[in-house]
Amino acid sequence: MLDNLTTRLAKVVKTMRGEARLTESNTAEMLREVRMALLEADVALPAVREFIAKVKEKALGEEVISSLTPGQALVGVVQRELGALMGADLGADASQLSFAQQPPAIILMAGLQGVGKTTTVGKLAKYLKEQKKKKVLTVSADVYRPAAIAQLQSVTAQVGADFFPSTAQDKPVDIALAALDWAKKHHHEVLIIDTAGRLGIDEEMMKEIAAVHGAVKPIETLFVVDAMLGQDAINTAKAFNDALPLTGVVLTKLDGDSRGGAALSVRHITGKPIKFAGVSEKLDGLEAFDPQRMANRILG
Ligand code: GDP
């Protein structure tokens, strides 16, 4: 079991008491520990570097009140800054979904295969139906895997939302437009479009999802990313962020044993709010993302 950050820093600063300010010299070793803790939490290196620089800038010159050790003072700065970076300073509204003035509000789901996109569509449909009292339609634009279409149909039925059937012979853009047409005619307030995901980043797939985005102009484009992905999350996030104007992120599989460093990497690349966290395979396993809790988890 890894020591948590407070314990690690306490070890480093045992010999250093009674200093009145955080300085370059009394924080250098502690910042190395913070860096190690973040790398162990699987945060990608560029995100670690940016974060350490920010903490350093905030910490230097900070007064250490007499009841604290410099280590405790630095942990305070780290927790505050990480919480802010996770989105605490974006305000509670940042994690809310937007709804179009003219229904239906379209939500486009993006992400690699296996990250939990289809499951998340089911979870979102349930949340929107039960908590927001919306009439929801789902559709799959994954024309490569008939099983994916059947899976979406099944999760949609489980949560009692409506499903627009598509087939592997259709084109993703045509599917999305037909579903939109249907949603308008049948007064759905939300249309959630699931998309194909490959196992790795793929230019054709990016073009295809960008075309779907251009055709239906969703109000929300959610990037779904698996917390267990670790450092790889940064490359995936970059590819999707370059291809699409993302509006938010869903971080899945937070019930796994990863520290969740992917959250920091994804925020570093996209700057977009993490709106939801997936916390189980079940369709009620979706929570509003809690930035400070995530910060504490990453720090261990
Ligand atoms: P997709 O290929 O992105 O559509 O991914 P799926 O929705 O098919 O999910 C892939 C696997 O991840 C399935 O076994 C899901 O049950 C599982 N899964 C999805 N979200 C979560 C989650 O938040 N926690 C856990 N433990 N498993 C999840």
Side-chain angles (χ1 to χ4, degrees):
M1 188 66 198
L2 298 167
D3 284 342
N4 71 22
L5 190 65
T6 311
T7 315
R8 297 168 79 124
L9 294 189
K11 282 182 188 160
V12 175
V13 292
K14 232 188 249 151
T15 54
M16 193 171 64
R17 286 205 170 262
E19 299 207 28
R21 281 181 190 285
L22 293 175
T23 64
E24 187 94 36
S25 67
N26 70 12
T27 55
E29 205 177 335
M30 293 192 287
L31 285 174
R32 268 200 297 280
E33 288 293 326
V34 175
R35 182 186 161 93
M36 285 306 297
L38 294 175
L39 289 171
E40 282 166 12
D42 250 342
V43 181
L45 191 55
V48 173
R49 285 209 187 106
E50 184 190 72
F51 180 69
I52 294 291
K54 196 169 263 171
V55 167
K56 197 167 163 183
E57 183 192 309
K58 295 274 172 168
L60 293 188
E62 174 130 335
E63 271 185 53
V64 179
I65 54 173
S66 57
S67 57
L68 296 184
T69 63
Q72 287 164 330
L74 188 69
V75 168
V77 176
V78 169
Q79 279 171 338
R80 227 171 34 238
E81 284 308 303
L82 194 54
L85 237 171
M86 288 290 88
D89 59 352
L90 296 176
D93 283 354
S95 66
Q96 297 290 318
L97 290 174
S98 300
F99 296 103
Q101 282 183 335
Q102 276 288 353
I106 300 172
I107 304 176
L108 181 66
M109 309 298 286
L112 293 185
Q113 188 178 316
V115 295
K117 270 192 314 297
T118 305
T119 308
T120 304
V121 173
K123 290 174 175 180
L124 278 174
K126 182 176 167 69
Y127 159 80
L128 290 168
K129 193 169 168 279
E130 291 176 6
Q131 311 284 322
K132 302 283 177 186
K133 311 291 175 217
K134 302 284 184 192
K135 186 176 176 190
V136 181
L137 181 69
T138 72
V139 65
S140 173
D142 187 346
V143 294
Y144 307 100
R145 292 185 311 141
I149 300 177
Q151 185 193 347
L152 183 67
Q153 180 166 23
S154 161
V155 297
T156 304
Q158 283 175 58
V159 302
D162 295 332
F163 174 74
F164 184 84
S166 48
T167 73
Q169 284 72 50
D170 301 327
K171 290 201 170 65
V173 167
D174 296 341
I175 292 172
L177 287 172
L180 175 57
D181 199 40
W182 180 272
K184 282 181 183 162
K185 285 200 180 105
H186 296 84
H187 309 292
H188 288 94
E189 295 161 288
V190 182
L191 168 63
I192 312 179
I193 305 175
D194 197 5
T195 59
R198 308 277 162 82
L199 289 170
I201 296 158
D202 177 304
E203 210 169 304
E204 278 306 304
M205 174 182 78
M206 292 300 174
K207 274 196 202 141
E208 183 184 286
I209 193 167
V212 172
H213 184 281
V216 299
K217 301 191 178 50
I219 191 158
E220 292 280 358
T221 301
L222 301 179
F223 172 55
V224 185
V225 62
D226 179 342
M228 310 285 277
L229 259 183
Q231 307 216 7
D232 288 343
I234 199 161
N235 299 325
T236 319
K238 184 160 182 2
F240 280 93
N241 193 54
D242 288 349
L244 292 169
L246 304 176
T247 58
V249 177
V250 181
L251 190 63
T252 61
K253 308 191 193 178
L254 268 179
D255 49 315
D257 56 8
S258 77
R259 280 271 193 77
L264 184 52
S265 307
V266 170
R267 285 278 302 148
H268 167 81
I269 290 293
T270 69
K272 297 293 162 21
I274 303 176
K275 298 197 174 204
F276 294 98
V279 293
S280 110
E281 283 183 316
K282 301 214 185 80
L283 296 174
D284 57 2
L286 187 74
E287 293 180 353
F289 181 74
D290 182 336
Q292 197 58 56
R293 213 164 89 201
M294 192 69 226
N296 297 344
R297 174 175 173 147
I298 291 176
L299 293 174

